[in-house]
Amino acid sequence: GQSLEQPSEVTAVEGAIVQINCTYQTSGFYGLSWYQQHDGGAPTFLSYNGLDGLEETGRFSSFLSRSDSYGYLLLQELQMKDSASYFCAVPSGTYKYIFGTGTRLKVLA
Amino acid sequence: EPEVTQTPSHQVTQMGQEVILRCVPISNHLYFYWYRQILGQKVEFLVSFYNNEISEKSEIFDDQFSVERPDGSNFTLKIRSTKLEDSAMYFCASSYSGGSTDTQYFGPGTRLTVL
């Protein structure tokens, strides 16, 4: 089967750096995306990695290693508003998407 | 900025009833999706839709479910004979090209409560 595993919860303090990992097992691989979801809100797109390496978008960076079936989202200079759930996701098939188990990030003052 | 809209925001129904969840995707998008999220769990893919037909569907999307694009702007999810376990947040999403690199934009969701 296909699966994406993430830690269930991560806690960090304001201003810190946190890394959220995602390991995947898929029948085909077309890239790894990351989404943020605040409580009661909709998932919003953060980043996409189609190739190995690091993609940087402001305070957020995402890394992919296809040989290790592994990626991570790196959040720098944490702010209280970053408290949310973070999901990795992969396209599976032409128009089908699988989301990871989700990581709840708590940012402490 | 264009956005995906969904109505209603909250729907309460009795078990066995039919519900229709409505979505208005971003106007120039061509690919449409429905996802489900049971409280506290991950987002689950239900179905994708392109060119007036289903492109992909998950094992969750059985004969109880159907989708339709009744006009040029709306995209609906119909759930027949609702069950208690259908209680969840239902998200509609749309994208322009549908490719793996294309961003999906999610609506705010409809919370379905089946009593």
Side-chain angles (χ1 to χ4, degrees), chain A residues 2-6 22-35 48-49 64 69-71 87-100, chain B residues 35 45 99-100 104:
Chain A
Q2 301 180 88
S3 66
L4 293 89
E5 297 295 327
Q6 302 177 235
C22 173
T23 55
Y24 59 86
Q25 184 176 21
T26 59
S27 55
F29 184 75
Y30 307 96
L32 185 72
S33 297
W34 288 92
Y35 286 80
Y48 169 79
N49 292 75
L64 175 66
S69 298
Y70 164 76
F87 294 90
C88 56
V90 294
S92 173
T94 309
Y95 305 116
K96 178 179 179 179
Y97 293 82
I98 307 297
F99 277 71
Chain B
Y35 292 87
F45 171 83
S100 58
Q104 292 189 41

Side-chain angles (χ1 to χ4, degrees), chain B residues 7 23 35 38 42 44-45 55 59 64 70 77 83 95 104 107-108 111 115:
Chain B
T7 53
C23 168
Y35 292 87
I38 295 170
K42 68 178 181 180
E44 298 176 291
F45 171 83
S55 303
E59 55 276 7
Q64 184 193 5
L77 174 69
K83 300 176 281 194
S95 66
Q104 292 189 41
R111 180 169 297 285
L115 303 176

Side-chain angles (χ1 to χ4, degrees), chain A:
Chain A
Q2 301 180 88
S3 66
L4 293 89
E5 297 295 327
Q6 302 177 235
S8 59
E9 192 171 294
V10 172
T11 302
V13 298
E14 263 189 307
I17 299 173
V18 72
Q19 179 174 312
I20 298 174
N21 299 320
C22 173
T23 55
Y24 59 86
Q25 184 176 21
T26 59
S27 55
F29 184 75
Y30 307 96
L32 185 72
S33 297
W34 288 92
Y35 286 80
Q36 178 191 59
Q37 185 182 33
H38 286 99
D39 283 348
T44 56
F45 174 80
L46 290 177
S47 68
Y48 169 79
N49 292 75
L51 300 174
D52 288 356
L54 193 68
E55 293 284 340
E56 297 181 73
T57 309
R59 294 189 297 114
F60 294 179
S61 303
S62 57
F63 173 83
L64 175 66
S65 169
R66 289 175 295 172
S67 60
D68 296 321
S69 298
Y70 164 76
Y72 65 73
L73 180 69
L74 192 72
L75 297 84
Q76 303 181 72
E77 301 172 18
L78 279 176
Q79 301 175 9
M80 296 296 291
K81 67 178 182 179
D82 297 329
S83 291
S85 291
Y86 293 83
F87 294 90
C88 56
V90 294
S92 173
T94 309
Y95 305 116
K96 178 179 179 179
Y97 293 82
I98 307 297
F99 277 71
T101 51
T103 299
R104 189 172 186 87
L105 171 64
K106 292 183 181 178
V107 180
L108 306 176

